[in-house]
Amino acid sequence: MKTLKQSAVLLVLLALSCVTASAQQNFLGQTTLSAAIAGSLLGQGVSSTTNPPPQLVQVASATGIVGLNPNLGITASQPNRTALYIGREEMLVTAVNGTTLTVVRGVNGTIAAPHPSGDMVLFGPPRFFYNYDPGGIPTASGGISGVACTAANVVVSPWLNIRTGGQWLCSSVTGTWVPGWNNAGQDNLMATAAIVSGAGTNTPTGPLFTVSGTAAIVTWAIPIGFNGTASGGGCFVTIPTGVWTWTAAGNISTAGTVTAGNSVPVTWCWNAATSKWVPSRIA
C-alpha cells in the first residue's frame, strides 16, 4: 500500500512539473555561420563524385548547441539535441566539436541549399520549430492572425514557420499573435508587439512597438530572429509615447530626439555595410 501511495505522489509531482514546464516561455538561440555552406544533398541532382553532400557546419558560437550524445542531466521532456534553421533549411545536430557541428541536413521537409558565411543561424530543440503559423484569418480588431495568446503560456518565442521563414510574436498589448521579423505580414501591421522604455541599450521587441521614458537610447541591440548580418537587414518602427533622445555613441548612425507633443513614428533600418541603425528623422 505504501508503495502505491508513493507511486501516486510521484505521478502527481510529474504532472505538476509538466504543467510548469509548458507554462515557461523559452527563446530561440541565435548565432551566425563562420563559413559558407555549399552544395545540395544527394538526391537533389548532385553527383557523389563531383560534389559530396556537406555534413559539417561552422558557427561563430556553439554555446547552447548540443548533439545526440547521451546526457543524464537532460530529462525525457527535454531531449539532448539541437535543430538549426538557416535560410529556409532546418538541420539536426548530431555532434559538436568546438564550433564545428556535424548535422543532418534538410530535415522536417526542408531542402538543403547553399548558405553564405555570416548568415543568421537560429537554434533550439526540434520542438521549438513549426511548419505552420499560429493560425487564423485576419480580423478587424485582433492582431494579424486574430489568434489569442498569453505570453506566459507560449512555448518558445519567436514562433518560427520553417516553410515560409515567417516569425510571429505574442503581443503583450493586444494579447494576440502579431508579425515578427521576416514576415510578409509586416506590410500590414495592426498591433504593437510590446512596450519598452528608452534607456541606454534597448532591444527591439518586434517590428512595431511604443517607446516611453525620457532617457537617451545609445544602442539598439540585435533582437533574436532579426538578420543583422552582412547579408541581412530590415527595419522596425517605434511610436513615441514620451520625450526621449538617441545618440550616435553606439550603433545608431545619427543622433536625434523626440520633441514634446511629437508622436510621429520613427523608422529604424539596419545598414549592414556600417553595422548601424539609420533613423528616419533626427528631430
Side-chain angles (χ1 to χ4, degrees):
M1 180 66 69
K2 184 176 181 181
T3 301
L4 291 176
K5 289 182 178 180
Q6 289 175 336
S7 299
V9 171
L10 180 59
L11 289 173
V12 171
L13 291 176
L14 288 173
L16 290 175
S17 65
C18 291
V19 171
T20 302
S22 64
Q24 178 181 358
Q25 187 180 54
N26 303 283
F27 296 91
L28 293 176
Q30 181 167 321
T31 184
T32 57
L33 288 177
S34 57
I37 304 175
S40 300
L41 290 179
L42 294 176
Q44 296 176 349
V46 179
S47 168
S48 60
T49 58
T50 59
N51 190 8
Q55 297 294 319
L56 299 179
V57 172
Q58 297 180 13
V59 293
S61 172
T63 301
I65 299 176
V66 294
L68 291 173
N69 296 326
N71 184 342
L72 298 180
I74 301 297
T75 65
S77 63
Q78 296 177 312
N80 183 32
R81 68 177 67 184
T82 298
L84 310 178
Y85 186 74
I86 311 170
R88 295 287 179 85
E89 178 184 358
E90 183 177 347
M91 308 176 190
L92 182 64
V93 179
T94 59
V96 179
N97 182 12
T99 55
T100 299
L101 314 176
T102 303
V103 302
V104 177
R105 300 193 59 192
V107 302
N108 205 8
T110 62
I111 298 175
H115 306 285
S117 177
D119 208 3
M120 177 178 68
V121 179
L122 296 175
F123 63 87
R127 64 189 177 89
F128 283 4
F129 297 90
Y130 302 87
N131 56 14
Y132 55 93
D133 292 336
I137 299 175
T139 65
S141 58
I144 285 292
S145 69
V147 175
C149 62
T150 302
N153 296 331
V154 172
V155 174
V156 62
S157 184
W159 176 302
L160 174 62
N161 183 336
I162 63 171
R163 301 297 174 84
T164 66
Q167 301 176 34
W168 297 86
L169 301 168
C170 182
S171 171
S172 61
V173 178
T174 65
T176 61
W177 290 100
V178 298
W181 311 109
N182 305 318
N183 194 316
Q186 286 181 234
D187 295 334
N188 186 29
L189 292 177
M190 296 174 60
T192 57
I195 296 176
V196 299
S197 297
T201 298
N202 274 258
T203 300
T205 53
L208 174 67
F209 57 97
T210 60
V211 178
S212 60
T214 59
I217 296 175
V218 178
T219 299
W220 286 113
I222 301 296
I224 296 175
F226 183 88
N227 193 4
T229 68
S231 60
C235 306
F236 66 90
V237 179
T238 56
I239 300 176
T241 58
V243 180
W244 43 273
T245 63
W246 61 89
T247 75
N251 65 351
I252 300 175
S253 64
T254 309
T257 184
V258 174
T259 58
N262 188 347
S263 59
V264 177
V266 182
T267 300
W268 309 77
C269 292
W270 180 253
N271 184 342
T274 61
S275 295
K276 289 184 178 291
W277 296 99
V278 180
S280 60
R281 60 186 176 90
I282 60 176

